[in-house]
Amino acid sequence: MDFAKSTVARISFEGLKPEDGLSNQRVEIIVFLAAMFILPFVLLKLMRRPKLKLPPSPPAYPIIGHLHLLGKLPHHSIANIAKTYGEIYSLRLGSVPAIVVTTPEMAKEFLLTHDKIWASRTVRDVSGYYLSYNHTGIAFAPFTPVWRNLRKICTSELFTQKRMEASQGVRDVEMQCMIRSILNDANQRRLIDLKLEVNALTANVVTRMVLNKRFMRCVDSTAEEESRAQQFKEIMKDHFTLQGIFMIGDYIPWLRPLDLGGKEKRMKALRKRLDAFLNEILDDHEVKRAKGPIAEEDQDMIDVLLNEMHQQDPNEPHKMDLNNIKSTILNMFAGGTDTATITIEWAMSELLRNPPIMAKLKAELDALIGQDRRVRETDVPNLPYLQAITKETFRLHPAGPLLVPHESTHDCEVAGYRIPAGTRLFVNIYAIGRSSKAWDRPLEFDPERFMTGPDASVDTKGKHYRLLPFGTGRRGCPGMSLGLLLVQFTLAALVHALDWSLPPGMDPEDVDMTEACGLKVPREHALSLNAKPRAAAQFY
Ligand code: HEM
C-alpha cells in the first residue's frame, strides 16, 4: 500500500512539520489505549442490561393469533383480557402486532411521554385505501410532513375561535330546524326517532361549515338540490357502514384476494361514486374561486384548503394535493357527525333512565333562560349541570371507545417493555371510564361527581387521562370545541323546548342500553320517544 497517498496519511502528514507528526502519533497511541480500556466495560454493561421483552400476552392460535378474542364488541373483550394480563398487554391480530392499555397512567405514557413515536396510523387497511384516498386525509394519514401540514391548517385556520364564532348563526338556524321538525311529529302524536333528528342537525352543521351546503331537511330546495342531497345521504350511509367494517384481509393479507363477503368490491364501487360526488363539489368551489377573491368570512373549509393548496411553494417537497383535500373532507363528515350524534343519543338515554337528573337539568335551564326565549349557544358556559351531564356521558359512553388506533414509527421502551416499530395501539378509554381504580361508583350515572369534590376539576380537554373522549396529544381530536358545543347546545335545546317521555308501558329501567359494534359505538336500537312542547317551543 502506498501509505503517503492514503486518506489517513493525508490527514496526518499534509501541512505538518516532523515534530507535529510525533506529537500526533503520541495522541493516537493515548486514544487507542484509552479505547482498549473502556471498550470492555461498555461491552460488559451492554451485556448485563436486561433484555427487554414484549408485554404479556394470552395464548395465541397460529395464523389468526388473538383475532378470535375480539368478539362483537372489542372494547368489552379487551377490557376483560386486561383483568388477567394487566394494564398493558400485547396481542397479535393475524399478522398485526398490537398493544392494549387500560389505565390512565398507561394512557399518559403512550399519549404524552412517547406521543411522537405513537402519532402515526396504519396504512395497511383496505377501507383506508378505497374510502380515504389511500390514507391521505388528516384522520388516517401516517405521521408525515403532509399530515403535519394538514393538521397545522386544521388548528390555525379551520377550527379557530374566530371561525367558531362566525358559524354560530349556522348552528342556531339548524337547531331551530331540528326542534320544529320534532314539534311537527309531536303534534301529530308520532314517536320521535331521536337519532334521525339529531343526525340531520349535526350533518347539516358540519356540511355547512365544510362546504357551505345543507343536505338534510331541504324544505324549499330545487329538484337538483334535492337529488344531490339524496345522493349525499346514500353515499355517506354506505361510507359509514363500510369504513367501520371488519376486513379479515387487513389482518391476514394472503386472504385479501379472496375478498370474502365481497366487501372490497363494494368499497371499490363506492369509491367511484364518492369521487364523482367530491369532484363536483370541488369543481363548484374552483369556479367560485375563478370569479375573484372570496371574503374571509364567506370561506368554507374547502375554500381554505384550496387556497392553501394553490399558494404552496412549487418547490415544496411535501405538497398537499387534491386527494389530501378530498380525503380530509370525508374525515370531517365522518369525524364530526356520527360522534356528536352518538353522544347526544346516549345522554338522552341516561336522562330518561334517571328522571331526577332530567328534572334537575330542566330546572337549571329554566333558572338561567326562563321559558320566554330559546337557548343560545352562549348560554352553555353558564350551565354547569349540563356540562357535568356531558362529561358523565363521555365517561360511560365514549363514541370512540378505543380512539382511532395509533401506530408506532420507532421501537419504544415503556414500563420496562420494548415494543417494536409498526405496532398498533389501542387505548381503551371505555375501560378507563368504568374502572373502579379511576372512579368512585364507576357504573353509576352521576353527574354530581363533576359538580363538587375531587372530580370537579376534571374536564374532557385531554389533560386528565381518566377522561379522554377526544383523545389527546398530536392525534387528539381537532374538532373538539365544535363537538363539545354541538353536544351541549343540542341537549340544552332538546330538554328546554320539549318534555320527553318513554312510550306507554315502558319504565325508566326498561331503557335498552345495548351497544352496536364498530370503531364507533352507537346504541344498537333506535331511541323512540314521546315529546310534548314546553312554552319555549314557540321560539324555535
Ligand atoms: C362529540 C364529538 C366528537 C368526539 C367524541 C370525537 C372524538 C374523536 C376521537 C376519539 C378521535 C381520535 C383521537 C386519537 O386518535 O387519539 C378524533 C379524531 C378526529 N376528529 Fe373528532 N370527535 C368529535 C367531533 C369532531 C368534529 C365535530 C370534527 C370535525 C368536524 C372532528 C374531526 C376529527 C378529525 C379530523 C380527527 C382525526 C385527527 C388526526 O388524526 O389527526 N371530530 N375525534
Side-chain angles (χ1 to χ4, degrees), residues 121 138-139 147 151 159 335-336 339 403-404 406 469-470 475 477-478:
R121 305 274 196 218
I138 181 167
W147 171 80
R151 182 81 197 191
F159 292 107
T339 43
L403 303 180
V404 177
H406 294 216
F470 297 96
R475 283 289 183 166
C477 176

Side-chain angles (χ1 to χ4, degrees), residues 183-434:
L183 284 171
N184 192 29
D185 277 356
N187 289 336
Q188 297 178 46
R189 298 183 178 281
R190 281 202 293 258
L191 282 181
I192 315 297
D193 181 339
L194 196 69
K195 184 174 182 171
L196 212 69
E197 296 295 345
V198 174
N199 195 51
L201 163 87
T202 54
N204 275 347
V205 167
V206 173
T207 56
R208 284 185 69 177
M209 290 179 73
V210 173
L211 54 98
N212 202 12
K213 279 216 159 28
R214 57 203 305 275
F215 291 111
M216 309 286 190
R217 295 197 193 102
C218 305
V219 193
D220 309 318
S221 45
T222 62
E224 193 199 330
E225 283 166 344
E226 188 56 50
S227 123
R228 241 191 197 191
Q230 193 52 35
Q231 207 187 344
F232 173 80
K233 279 186 247 182
E234 283 164 16
I235 288 179
M236 289 324 289
K237 191 168 158 248
D238 291 350
H239 186 257
F240 287 156
T241 311
L242 287 175
Q243 194 165 51
I245 215 163
F246 176 79
M247 298 284 288
I248 189 75
D250 288 346
Y251 302 96
I252 307 175
W254 52 264
L255 283 180
R256 187 176 158 187
L258 303 181
D259 189 19
L260 301 169
K263 296 173 197 162
E264 187 165 343
K265 197 168 155 209
R266 281 167 64 200
M267 286 182 193
K268 240 187 238 177
L270 176 60
R271 158 78 187 259
K272 266 196 192 150
R273 285 160 61 211
L274 263 176
D275 200 45
F277 183 76
L278 291 171
N279 280 339
E280 246 183 79
I281 290 173
L282 288 175
D283 286 349
D284 287 353
H285 279 73
E286 289 288 17
V287 168
K288 192 171 67 168
R289 272 177 63 82
K291 287 183 187 154
I294 307 163
E296 204 186 321
E297 62 275 16
D298 296 331
Q299 290 179 7
D300 57 36
M301 289 190 187
I302 295 186
D303 292 322
V304 175
L305 289 167
L306 285 174
N307 279 348
E308 292 284 339
M309 187 183 83
H310 288 298
Q311 283 164 12
Q312 288 173 114
D313 178 349
N315 301 320
E316 158 69 51
H318 307 290
K319 283 203 284 289
M320 172 168 70
D321 61 20
L322 275 178
N323 279 355
N324 297 119
I325 296 184
K326 290 183 200 172
S327 182
T328 298
I329 299 171
L330 291 174
N331 294 167
M332 295 291 176
F333 293 157
T337 45
D338 248 16
T339 43
T341 307
I342 289 170
T343 311
I344 294 162
E345 233 202 338
W346 281 122
M348 284 297 283
S349 311
E350 290 289 6
L351 290 178
L352 282 141
R353 261 164 42 110
N354 295 282
I357 298 177
M358 174 74 103
K360 188 164 175 185
L361 174 61
K362 217 175 266 180
E364 182 182 65
L365 289 162
D366 287 348
L368 181 77
I369 300 156
Q371 277 289 304
D372 41 19
R373 70 168 172 89
R374 63 173 182 266
V375 178
R376 286 189 290 258
E377 208 176 82
T378 44
D379 292 321
V380 168
N382 303 318
L383 294 163
Y385 196 61
L386 170 76
Q387 292 168 28
I389 288 173
T390 315
K391 287 182 203 173
E392 190 63 339
T393 307
F394 280 130
R395 182 180 71 80
L396 284 173
H397 309 285
L402 303 174
L403 303 180
V404 177
H406 294 216
E407 196 170 283
S408 56
T409 46
H410 297 84
D411 291 0
C412 183
E413 281 180 26
V414 188
Y417 299 111
R418 188 174 185 79
I419 302 162
T423 299
R424 209 165 290 184
L425 170 68
F426 295 101
V427 180
N428 194 346
I429 60 167
Y430 170 89
I432 294 174
R434 290 172 181 237

